mmCIF file of all heavy atoms in Angstrom:
data_model
loop_
_atom_site.group_PDB
_atom_site.id
_atom_site.type_symbol
_atom_site.label_atom_id
_atom_site.label_comp_id
_atom_site.label_asym_id
_atom_site.label_seq_id
_atom_site.Cartn_x
_atom_site.Cartn_y
_atom_site.Cartn_z
ATOM 1 N N SER E 14 79.672 110.045 81.894
ATOM 2 C CA SER E 14 80.930 109.280 81.830
ATOM 3 C C SER E 14 80.774 107.921 82.505
ATOM 4 O O SER E 14 81.761 107.224 82.707
ATOM 5 C CB SER E 14 82.053 110.049 82.512
ATOM 6 O OG SER E 14 81.822 110.085 83.915
ATOM 7 N N PHE E 33 78.755 116.522 85.022
ATOM 8 C CA PHE E 33 78.320 116.979 83.702
ATOM 9 C C PHE E 33 76.998 117.744 83.744
ATOM 10 O O PHE E 33 76.525 118.226 82.731
ATOM 11 C CB PHE E 33 78.253 115.784 82.743
ATOM 12 C CG PHE E 33 79.577 115.081 82.711
ATOM 13 C CD1 PHE E 33 79.812 113.977 83.518
ATOM 14 C CD2 PHE E 33 80.617 115.584 81.959
ATOM 15 C CE1 PHE E 33 81.054 113.372 83.543
ATOM 16 C CE2 PHE E 33 81.865 114.991 81.978
ATOM 17 C CZ PHE E 33 82.081 113.880 82.775
ATOM 18 N N LEU E 134 85.883 103.745 80.279
ATOM 19 C CA LEU E 134 85.012 104.360 81.293
ATOM 20 C C LEU E 134 84.656 103.320 82.344
ATOM 21 O O LEU E 134 84.261 102.200 82.009
ATOM 22 C CB LEU E 134 83.746 104.887 80.630
ATOM 23 C CG LEU E 134 83.966 105.994 79.586
ATOM 24 C CD1 LEU E 134 82.643 106.345 78.901
ATOM 25 C CD2 LEU E 134 84.595 107.232 80.204
ATOM 26 N N VAL E 157 89.393 108.568 88.843
ATOM 27 C CA VAL E 157 89.667 109.681 87.925
ATOM 28 C C VAL E 157 88.740 110.859 88.267
ATOM 29 O O VAL E 157 87.804 110.727 89.063
ATOM 30 C CB VAL E 157 89.525 109.229 86.452
ATOM 31 C CG1 VAL E 157 90.540 108.139 86.130
ATOM 32 C CG2 VAL E 157 88.116 108.743 86.149
ATOM 33 N N GLY E 158 88.990 112.013 87.641
ATOM 34 C CA GLY E 158 88.367 113.267 88.059
ATOM 35 C C GLY E 158 86.847 113.260 88.143
ATOM 36 O O GLY E 158 86.276 113.732 89.133
ATOM 37 N N CYS E 159 86.175 112.753 87.115
ATOM 38 C CA CYS E 159 84.702 112.837 87.125
ATOM 39 C C CYS E 159 84.132 111.985 88.254
ATOM 40 O O CYS E 159 83.125 112.360 88.876
ATOM 41 C CB CYS E 159 84.140 112.403 85.770
ATOM 42 S SG CYS E 159 84.652 110.753 85.262
ATOM 43 N N CYS E 183 93.483 112.147 84.163
ATOM 44 C CA CYS E 183 92.764 111.357 83.157
ATOM 45 C C CYS E 183 92.311 112.232 82.002
ATOM 46 O O CYS E 183 91.857 113.361 82.201
ATOM 47 C CB CYS E 183 91.559 110.689 83.811
ATOM 48 S SG CYS E 183 90.594 109.704 82.670
ATOM 49 N N VAL E 184 92.432 111.655 80.805
ATOM 50 C CA VAL E 184 92.027 112.371 79.596
ATOM 51 C C VAL E 184 91.702 111.348 78.521
ATOM 52 O O VAL E 184 92.152 110.192 78.602
ATOM 53 C CB VAL E 184 93.208 113.300 79.177
ATOM 54 C CG1 VAL E 184 94.301 112.541 78.465
ATOM 55 C CG2 VAL E 184 92.753 114.465 78.361
ATOM 56 N N ASP E 185 90.889 111.750 77.542
ATOM 57 C CA ASP E 185 90.666 110.906 76.349
ATOM 58 C C ASP E 185 90.233 109.490 76.675
ATOM 59 O O ASP E 185 90.719 108.523 76.052
ATOM 60 C CB ASP E 185 91.955 110.809 75.510
ATOM 61 C CG ASP E 185 92.271 112.117 74.814
ATOM 62 O OD1 ASP E 185 91.437 113.021 74.831
ATOM 63 O OD2 ASP E 185 93.382 112.205 74.245
ATOM 64 N N ASN E 186 89.326 109.318 77.607
ATOM 65 C CA ASN E 186 88.869 107.960 77.884
ATOM 66 C C ASN E 186 87.825 107.528 76.843
ATOM 67 O O ASN E 186 87.289 108.356 76.110
ATOM 68 C CB ASN E 186 88.307 107.881 79.310
ATOM 69 C CG ASN E 186 88.574 106.533 79.952
ATOM 70 O OD1 ASN E 186 88.896 105.567 79.271
ATOM 71 N ND2 ASN E 186 88.417 106.462 81.256
ATOM 72 N N SER E 246 81.730 112.581 77.179
ATOM 73 C CA SER E 246 82.061 113.079 78.524
ATOM 74 C C SER E 246 83.494 113.603 78.544
ATOM 75 O O SER E 246 83.779 114.677 79.082
ATOM 76 C CB SER E 246 81.925 111.949 79.553
ATOM 77 O OG SER E 246 82.676 110.817 79.152
ATOM 78 N N CYS E 247 84.381 112.855 77.918
ATOM 79 C CA CYS E 247 85.811 113.185 77.991
ATOM 80 C C CYS E 247 86.166 114.332 77.045
ATOM 81 O O CYS E 247 87.152 115.024 77.246
ATOM 82 C CB CYS E 247 86.635 111.940 77.684
ATOM 83 S SG CYS E 247 86.099 110.562 78.727
ATOM 84 N N CYS E 250 85.421 117.431 79.264
ATOM 85 C CA CYS E 250 85.963 117.354 80.631
ATOM 86 C C CYS E 250 87.161 118.284 80.795
ATOM 87 O O CYS E 250 88.022 118.349 79.924
ATOM 88 C CB CYS E 250 86.392 115.905 80.898
ATOM 89 S SG CYS E 250 87.338 115.681 82.410
ATOM 90 N N ASP E 252 88.752 118.299 84.005
ATOM 91 C CA ASP E 252 89.342 117.891 85.293
ATOM 92 C C ASP E 252 90.509 116.935 85.074
ATOM 93 O O ASP E 252 90.627 115.906 85.735
ATOM 94 C CB ASP E 252 88.284 117.237 86.187
ATOM 95 C CG ASP E 252 88.718 117.225 87.641
ATOM 96 O OD1 ASP E 252 89.718 117.899 87.969
ATOM 97 O OD2 ASP E 252 88.072 116.534 88.442
HETATM 98 FE FE1 SF4 Z 3 86.124 111.209 83.492
HETATM 99 FE FE2 SF4 Z 3 87.340 113.292 82.367
HETATM 100 FE FE3 SF4 Z 3 88.582 110.928 82.527
HETATM 101 FE FE4 SF4 Z 3 86.579 111.215 80.865
HETATM 102 S S1 SF4 Z 3 88.548 112.308 80.736
HETATM 103 S S2 SF4 Z 3 86.859 109.476 82.279
HETATM 104 S S3 SF4 Z 3 85.230 112.594 81.965
HETATM 105 S S4 SF4 Z 3 87.983 112.262 84.226
#
Side-chain angles (χ1 to χ4, degrees):
S14 69
F33 305 95
L134 298 175
V157 298
C159 56
C183 180
V184 79
D185 289 351
N186 214 344
S246 53
C247 308
C250 170
D252 199 11

